[in-house]
Amino acid sequence: MTTIREKYLEKIKEDFEVLSTVVIQQMDHVYTLTKSNKDTELHSTIEQNEVIIDSLEVKIRDEVINSIVLYCPRASDCRKIMSYHDMTAYLERIGDLLLNIADFLREVDPEGSLYTLFLKIIHEQLEIVKKMTQNAIFAFTCEDENLAKEIIRTDDIVDKNHKEIIHGIPLHFVGKTVKDQDLLDALSLSSMSYNIERIGDNATNIAEAAIYLMEGKNAKHIHNN
């Protein structure tokens, strides 16, 4: 017979799954927005999803606190509950970062030489961090330690691509007349790349939380192995 405590833990799991789904959908929306940055309906959908993400984060946080206070879970359950708490915070941050990217996309000239030059890398970055986030959630759900460690190593690729954009933007303007829109595009692109890089960091944090759940130890050292 399922106890009240077990039902409460199942509710946390269900709400986390909904949160994960909305965040991944948000990634798809932002990717689409890179091709049609003036789509007002899509911007509106992204903003509405952000409200949902924030409300789910608050709901799960309250459920975690209540489950600990009311049911005094055993050590293994407590570690899992706290992992849900941490990963929920990371997903909420990813939602914030995606909203930032959508806002910066409003400012760019989609036909501008700078945007068209770096759009392929931006797409690659978004695809990588989406896969990292999906795999990190899967690694936690299925307790796949090897997959979690692979995600942590993948973060180096995201960092490398971010540096390529940051270093490449000023080189693009050497010997050219720089217009106001060019400066706005440069700022927006560098900021977008930074936010994508931060999504990769948070996906890595989720993978580390999965490893903590499985091993009960910090996974920060994996970057250096």
Side-chain angles (χ1 to χ4, degrees):
M1 180 177 179
T2 303
T3 65
I4 296 177
R5 177 182 60 82
E6 290 171 336
K7 289 180 179 179
Y8 213 92
L9 294 178
E10 184 64 26
K11 181 59 179 172
I12 294 175
K13 177 183 176 182
E14 290 174 358
D15 287 338
F16 179 79
E17 289 174 351
V18 174
L19 173 62
S20 303
T21 299
V22 176
V23 170
I24 297 301
Q25 288 176 346
Q26 198 81 321
M27 289 183 170
D28 290 334
H29 291 327
V30 169
Y31 188 95
T32 302
L33 203 60
T34 63
K35 303 175 182 178
S36 180
N37 68 322
K38 303 301 182 183
D39 188 333
T40 56
E41 183 176 343
L42 190 53
H43 275 289
S44 178
T45 298
I46 290 171
E47 291 168 359
Q48 291 168 8
N49 280 347
E50 175 61 15
V51 174
I52 295 172
I53 291 169
D54 288 343
S55 64
L56 282 169
E57 189 268 338
V58 172
K59 187 171 186 288
I60 294 171
R61 184 180 62 201
D62 289 345
E63 289 171 345
V64 166
I65 294 172
N66 289 338
S67 67
I68 294 174
V69 172
L70 297 176
Y71 302 111
C72 299
R74 57 181 180 268
S76 59
D77 283 341
C78 190
R79 194 162 73 192
K80 189 162 192 174
I81 290 169
M82 292 311 300
S83 294
Y84 273 123
H85 177 275
D86 292 343
M87 290 190 298
T88 295
Y90 297 138
L91 285 176
E92 191 274 335
R93 290 172 195 164
I94 289 175
D96 289 342
L97 294 165
L98 289 167
L99 185 62
N100 290 344
I101 296 169
D103 288 339
F104 284 117
L105 278 166
R106 294 179 188 269
E107 307 298 330
V108 298
D109 175 9
E111 304 298 328
S113 60
L114 188 67
Y115 185 72
T116 54
L117 176 64
F118 288 104
L119 183 58
K120 182 178 179 180
I121 300 178
I122 292 294
H123 281 170
E124 180 182 348
Q125 290 282 72
L126 287 170
E127 289 169 352
I128 291 173
V129 296
K130 176 186 175 182
K131 185 176 181 180
M132 287 176 66
T133 303
Q134 288 177 315
N135 286 348
I137 295 167
F138 182 84
F140 171 78
T141 304
C142 299
E143 297 191 13
D144 189 330
E145 182 179 349
N146 290 330
L147 180 59
K149 292 179 178 179
E150 178 185 333
I151 294 159
I152 294 171
R153 288 188 286 268
T154 302
D155 192 41
D156 291 337
I157 300 174
V158 180
D159 294 341
K160 180 181 177 181
N161 285 351
H162 174 57
K163 290 177 182 178
E164 181 179 346
I165 290 176
I166 295 303
H167 294 155
I169 287 175
L171 293 176
H172 174 73
F173 292 114
V174 173
K176 299 179 182 178
T177 301
V178 180
K179 302 176 182 178
D180 289 346
Q181 184 61 49
D182 293 328
L183 293 175
L184 189 57
D185 288 350
L187 176 61
S188 297
L189 274 168
S190 62
S191 298
M192 287 165 55
S193 180
Y194 170 76
N195 279 271
I196 295 172
E197 189 265 342
R198 291 294 297 130
I199 291 173
D201 289 342
N202 279 280
T204 297
N205 290 339
I206 295 173
E208 290 171 349
I211 292 173
Y212 172 74
L213 172 66
M214 290 177 274
E215 299 183 351
K217 64 183 181 181
N218 193 298
K220 296 290 184 183
H221 66 284
I222 292 176
H223 278 292
N224 299 320
N225 287 351

